[in-house]
Structure formats: structure tokens, C-alpha cells
């Protein structure tokens, strides 16, 4: 059985579907601070399989000990964490406590029960302001915000843990910009309040919940002046987790820390994303140009070749798929899971 911390959230719920479809059993631990058990019900409907969960916090060692005692856990995929960049400036202690202390507590429980296969939700933010495209050999930099720095700290902790005990099998999955939803539109991204990220903002403008999009800056040194990112379909990203887990669990593969970029390798600008959403869905997105947002980098995208070579995984879905599937989720669930 695979333990998914934060499995009710955006990336965890899509990964749960992929794992269940691939024949894995899963168990979710989530405190629902940024999600709802409704996503787990829908996973059961989509897959026709059980998606059991325990409401709890990864900082609660007694709860985790109970989980490892009562269930045969072969590996952990660790999604749980706080992820809002803006909020991390205002509440750095909450971010370090949840992300760093939470991960340490989880790893201590795993160590105590001899479970040493671990997949971690890292982020392209750990590259800081490095030359593009980022490869896994690109030295990590200093992320511009406390959220990003928690990810870098956790990566370093995992490397130190692996150095201390060579039985650990660890995947650091560096996500680029996940977007969209499962093709059937039953689960998707459901941010609380005003979305921080571009694509949920666009889809909420499209559905009439927000009046217009602010495009943060149009004089970056990019082809159209707006920022460029590597947007990846959430189902491609979810499949990347299954591929990483299969790799770690294959005894022919070496133990230790493995790093994989999960991106498409293609950069798309903010203005191109707006235009693609409008074209594919025939919906107008009113927008205005606004000042730059602090900490935004002009352009970054992945070199995804290592994941292709080692995991036999690559992003398959197109920009058009992303736009169609995002809109399918949003228009069928205008208030998310509420
Ligand atoms: P999400 O907020 O939708 O999911 C995170 C889940 O973890 C939520 O269900 C939340 O309730 C749960 N959670 C948070 N703190 C917890 C705690 N202390 N104990 C138990 N459960 C807790 O976010 P997501 O987009 O699915 O992201 C999943 C992971 O991937 C996060 O670690 C995030 O930092 C990382 N990540 C996300 C992105 C992105 O753009 N979405 C990019 C890079 C990395
Ligand atoms: C994308 C582009 C904005 C909103 C963040 C984290 C990263 C990772 C993924 C998560 C940027 C522009 C956005 C809006 C806009 N983390 N934008 N108007 O900043 O690339 O990455 O999410 O766990 O660590 O930093 O993603 O979606 O916020 O922004 O113009 O209302 O869209 O300036 O260029 P970002 P994003």
C-alpha cells in the first residue's frame, strides 16, 4: 500500500487516480487545510476502487506511528505542505513548521518502521535564477521566497538522510507548472479564495467569478514581454509519480537520491496561455497589464530528458488538452468541491 500525504489535494488526487488505475492500493493522510474529502469520494467514483483516508496532520507523530502500525506501507509519496508563495512571506514560521518540521516528523516515523522508499514533491523553484533550460545537474540556487526555501531545505535533508543510511530510495520530483484537470472533469484544482496561480485565475474569470485577469508585467526580456513558464498537464505530472515509484521499487535500480524534472521542456508565455484558452474554449478572458509581481523570474522551463531516459516518461498532452480539460473541470464545478 502506498501512503499519500496530502493525497486529497490537487496533485495528490490526480496521482491517486493514476496509482489506483495502475493497480496500487493507496491510503491518504490529509488534514484538509487546503482540500476536502469530496475529492477522495470522486476518486472512488472515477476508478471504482477504494481510496481510504485518515484525517490527520503529518506533524502528529503519534498519528503517523498508528498509520504505520496498522497498515503495510511500502512507500510514501509526500505531497502534504503549504504552497502559497505570497502567504509564505507573511507566515514563514507556518511554512517551515508544516513543510520542514512536517517532513522530518514523517521521515522519523518512516525510519522507525523501516519504510525507506520516498517520493517528494519538490519544485523548479529550487533552481533559483539559473540559466535555462534547467537540467538536474544545474546547481540549485536560492529560491526567492520562504516557500521555495522550505523545498530546498527538505531536498538537503533528504540528501543527508540518504548519506547516513544507504537503504533509502528517494525521488526528488521537481515540478514545473502543473495545470488543468483529469479529462473527465470530476476532480481538479480548487483553490481557497482568490487564486494565486495563473490558470485557476483564468478559469475563474472565464466562469464569471472574477472580473478580469491582471497580467503581471509585459516588459520582461521574453518574446512578447510576459513571463514564460513550462506548463504541464496534471495527468502527465501524475503519471510521472507512478513512473518514479516503479523506478524506486525496482531492485535493479540503485538506492539513494534520484532527481527528476517533471516538465514538458517547452516554454509558453502568459499572453500565449490566455490566447490558447480563448481559442480552444471560445471564451473571452478580459485582462489588463499590471505591475510585475515581486520574485517572478522572466522565463524558465525544464530539460526533461533525464526522466525520459530513466523513467521512460514524458509529457504527452498538448496545450490544447490543458485548456480543454481545465475548462471542463471549471465549468462543471464553478464552486470547486463546495
Ligand atoms: P494542495 O494544497 O492542493 O495539496 C496539498 C495537500 O496537503 C492538501 O490536501 C492539504 O490539505 C494537505 N496538507 C497540508 N499541510 C498538511 C499537514 N501538515 N498535514 C496533512 N496534510 C496537509 O497542493 P498541490 O498543488 O497538490 O501540491 C502538492 C505538493 O506539491 C505540495 O508539497 C506543493 O508544495 C508541491 N508543489 C506544487 C506545485 C503546484 O504548482 N501546484 C508546484 C511545485 C510543487
Ligand atoms: C505563472 C505566471 C505570473 C497570476 C508558482 C511557484 C512555484 C510553483 C508553481 C508551487 C507568472 C503570471 C500569475 C496572475 C499573472 N509552486 N501571473 N497573473 O509563479 O511560475 O510558480 O507556482 O507550489 O514555486 O512560484 O506560477 O501560476 O503563480 O504564475 O500574470 O494573476 O503567470 O507573473 O509569470 P509561478 P503562477
Amino acid at each position: 500500500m502506498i501512503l499519500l500525504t496530502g493525497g486529497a489535494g490537487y496533485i495528490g488526487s490526480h496521482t491517486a487516480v493514476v496509482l489506483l488505475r495502475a493497480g496500487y492500493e493507496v491510503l491518504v493522510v490529509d488534514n484538509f487545510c487546503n482540500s476536502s474529502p469530496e475529492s477522495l469520494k470522486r476518486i472512488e467514483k472515477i476508478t471504482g476502487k477504494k481510496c481510504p483516508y485518515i484525517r490527520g496532520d503529518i506533524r502528529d507523530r503519534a498519528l503517523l506511528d498508528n498509520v504505520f502500525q496498522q497498515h503495510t506501507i511500502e512507500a510514501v509519496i509526500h505531497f502534504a505542505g503549504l504552497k502559497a508563495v505570497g502567504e509564505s512571506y507573511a507566515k514563514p514560521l507556518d511554512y517551515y513548521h508544516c513543510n520542514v518540521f512536517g517532513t522530518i516528523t514523517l521521515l522519523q516515523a518512516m525510519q522507525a518502521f523501516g519504510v525507506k522508499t520516498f517520493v517528494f514533491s519538490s519544485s523548479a523553484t529550487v533552481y533559483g535564477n539559473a540559466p535555462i533550460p534547467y537540467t538536474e545537474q544545474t546547481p540549485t540556487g536560492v529560491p526567492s521566497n520562504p516557500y521555495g526555501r522550505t523545498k530546498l531545505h527538505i531536498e538537503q535533508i533528504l540528501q543527508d538522510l540518504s548519506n547516513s543510511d544507504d537503504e533509502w530510495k528517494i525521488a526528488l520530483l521537481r515540478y514545473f507548472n502543473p495545470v488543468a484537470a483529469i479529462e473527465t472533469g470530476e476532480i481538479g484544482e480548487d483553490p481557497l479564495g482568490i487564486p494565486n496561480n495563473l490558470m485557476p485565475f483564468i478559469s475563474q474569470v472565464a466562469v464569471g467569478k472574477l472580473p478580469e485577469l491582471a497580467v503581471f508585467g509585459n516588459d520582461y526580456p521574453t518574446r512578447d514581454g510576459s513571463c514564460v513558464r513550462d506548463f504541464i498537464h496534471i495527468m502527465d505530472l501524475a503519471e510521472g509519480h507512478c513512473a518514479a515509484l516503479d523506478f524506486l521499487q525496482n531492485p535493479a535500480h540503485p538506492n539513494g537520491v534520484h532527481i527528476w524534472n517533471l516538465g514538458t521542456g517547452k516554454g509558453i508565455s502568459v499572453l500565449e496561455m490566455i490566447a490558447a484558452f480563448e481559442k480552444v474554449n471560445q471564451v473571452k478572458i478580459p485582462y489588463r497589464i499590471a505591475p510585475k509581481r515581486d520574485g517572478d523570474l522572466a522565463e524558465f522551463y525544464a530539460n526533461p530528458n533525464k526522466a525520459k531516459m530513466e523513467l521512460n516518461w514524458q509529457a504527452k498532452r498538448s496545450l490544447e488538452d490543458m485548456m480543454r480539460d481545465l475548462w471542463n473541470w471549471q465549468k462543471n464545478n464553478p464552486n470547486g468541491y463546495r
Side-chain angles (χ1 to χ4, degrees):
M1 176 176 264
I2 311 300
L3 176 64
L4 309 181
T5 71
Y10 174 46
I11 304 172
S13 58
H14 288 83
T15 302
V17 169
V18 169
L19 292 174
L20 288 167
R21 282 177 173 169
Y24 283 103
E25 278 185 80
V26 304
L27 173 65
V28 169
V29 169
D30 202 303
N31 66 2
F32 301 111
C33 69
N34 196 37
S35 59
S36 104
E38 176 61 23
S39 64
L40 303 173
K41 276 197 214 146
R42 296 196 188 181
I43 291 168
E44 295 191 335
K45 192 168 153 254
I46 294 165
T47 61
K49 301 204 171 140
K50 287 272 163 234
C51 186
Y53 73 88
I54 292 163
R55 181 185 292 268
D57 196 294
I58 53 160
R59 290 163 289 190
D60 181 344
R61 178 64 196 274
L63 178 129
L64 292 178
D65 283 354
N66 238 322
V67 169
F68 285 104
Q69 245 148 30
Q70 317 251 313
H71 303 271
T72 308
I73 306 292
E74 57 196 272
V76 176
I77 309 185
H78 178 38
F79 300 102
L82 301 177
K83 64 160 184 179
V85 170
E87 186 185 59
S88 78
Y89 288 103
K91 299 179 178 171
L93 298 180
D94 288 1
Y95 273 68
Y96 282 98
H97 192 240
C98 182
N99 295 4
V100 180
F101 173 76
T103 303
I104 292 172
T105 307
L106 173 63
L107 292 167
Q108 285 174 329
M110 290 178 68
Q111 192 172 48
F113 287 87
V115 179
K116 296 185 179 177
T117 303
F118 190 75
V119 178
F120 176 58
S121 293
S122 191
S123 167
T125 190
V126 299
Y127 291 112
N129 195 0
I132 46 172
Y134 301 155
T135 75
E136 294 81 353
Q137 283 79 48
T138 303
T140 53
V142 180
S144 65
N145 58 78
Y147 160 75
R149 291 191 279 273
T150 68
K151 293 289 171 189
L152 186 58
H153 283 298
I154 296 165
E155 284 204 359
Q156 291 164 340
I157 289 167
L158 289 167
Q159 187 63 62
D160 287 334
L161 177 62
S162 168
N163 294 344
S164 75
D165 173 356
D166 62 13
E167 288 179 359
W168 282 87
K169 296 163 178 276
I170 295 172
L172 307 181
L173 301 184
R174 292 178 178 161
Y175 309 155
F176 283 70
N177 288 59
V179 297
I182 194 168
E183 291 79 358
T184 56
E186 288 141 299
I187 57 171
E189 188 170 12
D190 181 24
L192 287 176
I194 302 205
N196 299 303
N197 296 110
L198 178 67
M199 293 318 291
F201 203 109
I202 288 183
S203 63
Q204 291 200 13
V205 170
V207 85
K209 289 182 77 179
L210 295 166
E212 64 173 4
L213 171 73
V215 171
F216 300 140
N218 69 345
D219 59 354
Y220 282 99
T222 58
R223 55 185 174 267
D224 62 18
S226 66
C227 292
V228 169
R229 296 288 181 272
D230 185 335
F231 296 95
I232 174 169
H233 195 295
I234 187 69
M235 290 304 286
D236 282 326
L237 189 80
E239 288 165 8
H241 291 74
C242 197
L245 188 62
D246 289 344
F247 180 99
L248 294 185
Q249 291 196 318
N250 183 335
H253 293 144
N255 294 356
V257 173
H258 300 270
I259 306 177
W260 292 293
N261 286 339
L262 297 184
T264 66
K266 284 188 229 82
I268 315 271
S269 79
V270 171
L271 294 174
E272 288 164 351
M273 291 299 276
I274 299 170
F277 188 94
E278 291 183 327
K279 180 164 179 245
V280 171
N281 299 316
Q282 295 296 304
V283 187
K284 197 88 200 121
I285 303 297
Y287 70 87
R288 69 187 159 84
I289 305 300
K292 287 178 178 163
R293 185 171 72 175
D294 279 353
D296 274 343
L297 298 175
E299 178 164 5
F300 64 83
Y301 48 89
N303 175 329
N305 288 342
K306 185 166 182 276
K308 186 175 176 192
M309 299 280 291
E310 294 180 355
L311 302 179
N312 194 25
W313 167 92
Q314 62 181 317
K316 299 189 296 240
R317 293 161 181 87
S318 67
L319 186 59
E320 196 178 321
D321 296 333
M322 296 181 210
M323 298 304 162
R324 188 199 54 232
D325 295 339
L326 170 60
W327 186 221
N328 189 31
W329 153 252
Q330 185 74 72
K331 72 170 188 286
N332 291 320
N333 302 271
N335 298 312
Y337 293 115
R338 283 165 292 266

